[in-house]
Amino acid sequence: MKTETMQATPEIWGGVECSIIRLRNRWRDETAETGHAGRLADLDRIRDLGIRTLRYPLLWESISPDDIETADFSWHDERMAKLGELGVDVIAGLLHHGSGPRYTNLLDTGFPELLARHARRVAERYPEVCRFTPVNEPLTTARFSALYGHWYPHCRRLPDFARALINQCRGVVLAMRAIREVTPHAALVQTEDLGKTFSTPLLGYQADYENERRWLTFDLLLGRVDRSHAWFSRLVDHGIPEQELQAFVDEPCPPDIIGVNYYPTSERFLDHRRSELPAGALVGGNGRHHYADLDAVRMHLPLGSVGPEPRLREVCDRYDRPVAVTEVHHGCSRDEQLRWLNEVWSAANRLAGEGKNIAAVTVWALLGSVDWNSLLLREDFAYEAGAFDVRSPSPRLTALGSAVRQIASGASPAHPVLDSPGWWRRDTRFFRPPLETTAERGAEGTARKVLILCKDAALGGAFCRIAAHRGLEFIALAANQLDITEPHSVRRVLLKHRPWAFIHAASAQRADGLFDGQHAPAEDPADGAVLASICAAAGVALMTVSSDVLVGKTLSGGLVESSPVTPASGIRNINAAAEAMVMKHYSGALIIRTSAVFGRWDTGDMLSQILDEIAADCALRLPADAVCSPTYAPDLAHAALDLLIDGETGLWHLANDGAVSWYEWAREVAHSVGLDASLVLPDRGGGALAPAALASERGQLMPPLASGLGRFLRERDVRWNKIAATLGS
């Protein structure tokens, strides 16, 4: 058996989200949904980050989906050969939140032996693989599948939970036995989510119960669940024969590495005080008390109670074995993703410095994940990027990927957004604001800032609000505070504030163009040439954000006419001369073009004014032929800030996914909020308003239009918002 030795400093590992979840009689496969199943070149990209060890799927459901006697390794053979060429060691995952192929399930008494047969076949096929995770998170999978009923076999009984857990852990034992008959030195890397539960004093008994339960995967495999263990009698009471539990004691299968999967909301708080619960909290119970299960990080708990360091310290103290963080991922904005990785990496290194045996930190979901915000129960294609963003024609390196590359090279992440704490350390996280500030921050004035020039007040205001929400330090400048065409003025502002980035919120399409048939005043890209040049010289990242309408001067001094994007076949078609002009004047900058912005804070946006007209029983004519891409301002700001943090440059078109005529959209929205849609009349070809539908060849980074509209209607406090609260997100 391979002996895992202590690392002087933790290694950086990677992982590909690969869950195959069964929901009734259908399956969801994350490798397919993220596109990795069809991209062999992903492995080159991962190796280029400096990753030398990769958690990778050799899953039972994909290799032997219909019959344990047959196996198809063709997809895996190609990828395992590639990984071998790249010098990447594999930690083979055999079952990842799955219930096995269609001919078995977590409650099947034959499940462990069937898994062991798959494990032996994998070991024989790939003798170079020395580390295995036969079952990822057995306890968590048992809870979600057999206690909460989310995944197959969709049970909600404690006896079914117990059977599912025992079957999976027994499957690990038999799988490792079969593997070691082929590869004697094979190591077990066993993973589990070990979030701790806190509670009100009344519910202390329930918290104790859950905190004892969270160790079951490791305690079973280490042979610790004997008659003296608190869960021995509970498992027997739930129908597990004593001899099955005794088998773990007699023939333990201790993990060579304890793998901890940890997320910002892994810790929970149980609260029975209904008057204290946040709005929308779901109340359940245990048959004795009713209570809500809340994010512990949002409660007022003693400093140091939650977070990666106390959890890792607990694991190291409980088990005298190497420990690795086997999943680090945060489905949030890019700055928060960076802060989370940095926090876990720093905690692991501090513990290693104290002599704790911390083997590695694993950047999970390198290629992102789909619909994990709903445990894959909804098919919204809610994508969370990782080290790469797969929504571009080819996976695009993110700032998180750049941080992984820095760590792998021996450096520490150094992005300016790390000057500020993550949301889990800011006072805004609490359900109830604290009496005194508890936010953890650096020395006063040390955080590097973003300058936001609000030439368009509404657009700039949206960026300011979203930056504040994300904990980005910023300084807002009104249009009259800076002349971007005057070099001295620009240099003076940069010298005074020393920002790491400059956001020029130039212009957004306004409602006037709909009612008078004309576009709002267009931006002249030549105005930004001075700003772009000085920012480049100062090493300040520049982003300019404006509408799809462009105007400016050609090299010969002639005027380039207003040139919106046209919707032909859904592909962008900007006037070539105008596009070249923009790229020339904003060389090296990130250029964001958007269309028909509407937002929750701007009552002058086009959608609000349309709805106001209808609410006042005024008929209005809207273009029926001019197709637009309505864009929800918060979504725009989030996507643009992610690109800025990623260090992207060049021209990007950002709009919510979906193109519609103004006439059709106004009628649809009016009807949805209970207004008289018949007041909206079609204007067919009578106005000069040109089409303004945006589509991007660089990737669709924003949610569907319906999602943005639903949130807009729920969040706006206006008189026509009659039934908006009932709309889906």
Side-chain angles (χ1 to χ4, degrees):
M1 183 184 305
K2 180 178 178 179
T3 301
E4 297 290 341
T5 58
M6 181 180 294
Q7 302 289 331
T9 58
E11 296 177 357
I12 190 76
W13 294 350
V16 174
E17 171 54 45
C18 57
S19 300
I20 296 182
I21 302 292
R22 184 176 180 181
L23 302 166
R24 304 298 174 187
N25 287 317
R26 64 187 178 90
W27 275 260
R28 295 194 64 175
D29 182 345
E30 287 282 289
T31 59
E33 295 192 29
T34 61
H36 175 59
R39 291 191 309 263
L40 182 64
D42 284 351
L43 303 181
D44 294 281
R45 297 182 180 97
I46 291 170
R47 177 60 180 81
D48 287 345
L49 296 178
I51 297 292
R52 301 293 192 278
T53 300
L54 184 67
R55 292 187 64 195
Y56 202 69
L58 292 161
L59 299 184
W60 184 10
E61 294 98 334
S62 61
I63 291 172
S64 299
D66 301 312
D67 183 355
I68 192 62
E69 302 298 335
T70 60
D72 181 358
F73 283 98
S74 55
W75 185 88
H76 305 79
D77 284 348
E78 186 178 25
R79 280 144 185 83
M80 292 298 289
K82 182 67 172 178
L83 289 166
E85 293 172 8
L86 295 172
V88 176
D89 291 333
V90 167
I91 300 174
L94 307 184
L95 194 71
H96 199 97
H97 285 316
S99 56
R102 65 182 76 253
Y103 47 84
T104 188
N105 64 77
L106 296 179
L107 307 182
D108 176 12
T109 56
F111 177 93
E113 288 77 14
L114 290 170
L115 176 60
R117 292 180 64 181
H118 171 67
R120 175 184 291 277
R121 184 177 283 151
V122 170
E124 291 172 342
R125 188 81 172 193
Y126 307 114
E128 70 276 13
V129 177
C130 298
R131 287 184 279 196
F132 291 82
T133 302
V135 180
N136 175 68
E137 295 187 3
L139 177 69
T140 302
T141 303
R143 286 166 48 216
F144 288 176
S145 297
L147 190 59
Y148 309 149
H150 298 320
W151 304 332
Y152 193 83
H154 304 287
C155 298
R156 294 183 175 87
R157 298 173 60 249
L158 281 167
D160 293 325
F161 160 76
R163 172 50 58 197
L165 174 64
I166 294 301
N167 273 359
Q168 289 176 94
C169 289
R170 183 61 179 166
V172 171
V173 173
L174 297 185
M176 290 308 300
R177 182 185 299 170
I179 289 167
R180 286 168 176 157
E181 288 174 0
V182 178
T183 307
H185 58 285
L188 170 60
V189 180
Q190 185 56 60
T191 60
E192 192 59 83
D193 185 316
L194 289 178
K196 190 172 183 177
T197 299
F198 301 83
S199 72
T200 58
L202 178 68
L203 297 172
Y205 71 95
Q206 182 66 29
D208 291 343
Y209 171 90
E210 295 186 15
N211 286 329
E212 291 168 348
R213 185 184 66 186
R214 68 187 173 126
W215 302 109
L216 274 177
T217 293
F218 299 120
D219 283 0
L220 283 164
L221 294 175
L222 284 158
R224 295 187 178 186
V225 184
D226 56 18
R227 292 180 180 276
S228 66
H229 195 284
W231 268 84
F232 185 93
S233 59
R234 289 175 183 150
L235 289 170
V236 171
D237 289 344
H238 295 329
I240 304 301
E242 289 191 25
Q243 58 268 30
E244 283 195 59
L245 298 179
Q246 188 62 40
F248 288 103
V249 178
D250 295 339
E251 297 183 78
C253 182
D256 298 279
I257 295 179
I258 301 286
V260 179
N261 297 347
Y262 186 78
Y263 292 82
T265 56
S266 286
E267 271 98 12
R268 312 304 301 168
F269 187 91
L270 309 181
D271 198 337
H272 70 283
R273 303 165 300 180
R274 296 210 177 207
S275 63
E276 301 288 320
L277 297 180
L282 298 178
V283 176
N286 56 11
R288 179 175 169 185
H289 289 104
H290 292 283
Y291 54 85
D293 184 335
L294 307 172
D295 300 338
V297 72
R298 299 186 183 278
M299 305 297 293
H300 296 283
L301 296 172
L303 189 65
S305 298
V306 299
E309 188 166 334
R311 298 294 78 79
L312 287 173
R313 196 177 296 279
E314 280 184 330
V315 176
C316 291
D317 291 344
R318 186 178 179 97
Y319 305 113
D320 184 21
R321 312 193 74 76
V323 174
V325 183
T326 38
E327 287 184 18
V328 175
H329 174 72
H330 189 10
C332 199
S333 59
R334 196 78 74 248
D335 37 279
E336 302 290 24
Q337 289 185 314
L338 284 166
R339 293 165 185 151
W340 183 243
L341 173 61
N342 187 59
E343 177 155 340
V344 177
W345 178 248
S346 298
N349 277 274
R350 281 194 298 273
L351 292 176
E354 295 176 9
K356 305 292 186 184
N357 196 345
I358 307 295
V361 170
T362 308
V363 182
W364 189 244
L366 287 170
L367 300 165
S369 59
V370 178
D371 285 339
W372 265 103
N373 61 332
S374 67
L375 298 178
L376 283 79
L377 299 180
R378 296 197 306 267
E379 294 189 56
D380 300 330
F381 199 79
Y383 176 73
E384 301 169 5
F388 299 94
D389 189 328
V390 304
R391 293 171 296 184
S392 293
S394 61
R396 181 181 62 83
L397 183 71
T398 67
L400 190 69
S402 297
V404 173
R405 184 176 287 164
Q406 288 177 312
I407 293 172
S409 70
S412 297
H415 200 286
V417 301
L418 296 176
D419 293 350
S420 301
W423 68 260
W424 53 94
R425 296 196 177 278
R426 301 197 296 270
D427 285 344
T428 52
R429 74 186 186 272
F430 292 117
F431 290 126
R432 291 183 176 272
L435 297 177
E436 297 181 0
T437 182
T438 65
E440 303 173 26
R441 7 180 9 101
E444 187 67 26
T446 60
R448 288 164 284 183
K449 297 177 175 61
V450 177
L451 278 182
I452 303 177
L453 177 60
C454 304
K455 185 176 179 181
D456 182 298
L459 185 62
F463 273 89
C464 290
R465 289 174 182 270
I466 296 302
H469 172 72
R470 291 167 62 148
L472 294 171
E473 298 287 342
F474 70 92
I475 295 173
L477 301 175
N480 61 2
Q481 290 182 277
L482 177 62
D483 181 357
I484 65 171
T485 67
E486 208 288 307
H488 176 71
S489 177
V490 175
R491 290 193 184 96
R492 177 174 53 79
V493 167
L494 295 186
L495 185 61
K496 177 181 178 181
H497 299 294
R498 298 189 180 278
W500 68 269
F502 191 112
I503 297 174
H504 178 211
S507 63
Q509 196 178 77
R510 314 294 294 171
D512 298 343
L514 284 177
F515 301 119
D516 61 17
Q518 300 295 322
H519 277 292
E523 175 204 359
D524 186 343
D527 290 346
V530 170
L531 178 63
S533 175
I534 295 176
C535 283
V540 175
L542 172 62
M543 176 171 74
T544 180
V545 186
S546 63
S547 76
D548 55 301
V549 182
L550 306 173
V551 69
K553 295 181 179 179
T554 64
L555 294 178
S556 62
L559 187 67
V560 176
E561 65 181 45
S562 295
S563 177
V565 180
T566 59
S569 69
I571 303 299
R572 70 178 181 86
N573 183 25
I574 261 188
N575 176 278
E579 180 173 345
M581 178 180 59
V582 172
M583 300 297 289
K584 172 182 180 293
H585 290 300
Y586 280 104
S587 176
L590 172 60
I591 306 158
I592 304 296
R593 294 294 178 204
T594 189
S595 173
V597 176
F598 65 99
R600 48 187 292 201
W601 308 293
D602 176 19
T603 57
D605 69 89
M606 288 178 280
L607 181 58
S608 294
Q609 291 203 24
I610 289 171
L611 292 174
D612 282 344
E613 291 285 314
I614 302 171
D617 292 327
C618 297
L620 69 161
R621 290 188 177 275
L622 294 176
D625 301 320
V627 179
C628 64
S629 295
T631 303
Y632 187 43
D635 290 345
L636 169 67
H638 275 301
L641 286 170
D642 282 349
L643 290 173
L644 179 66
I645 292 169
D646 287 343
E648 287 292 340
T649 60
L651 183 64
W652 283 78
H653 297 158
L654 294 183
N656 289 103
D657 188 15
V660 64
S661 76
W662 283 108
Y663 165 71
E664 292 170 335
W665 193 46
R667 286 179 61 89
E668 178 183 342
V669 176
H671 177 74
S672 71
V673 297
L675 296 178
D676 185 0
S678 68
L679 291 170
V680 182
L681 304 174
D683 181 5
R684 301 189 182 279
L689 190 65
L694 280 170
S696 176
E697 294 176 353
R698 303 187 71 176
Q700 178 57 48
L701 307 185
M702 293 172 58
L705 174 58
S707 171
L709 176 62
R711 283 176 281 122
F712 168 80
L713 293 172
R714 287 198 309 276
E715 294 162 358
R716 283 295 295 266
D717 182 18
V718 291
R719 60 186 178 277
W720 36 256
N721 196 6
K722 297 180 180 178
I723 61 169
T726 66
L727 295 181
S729 61

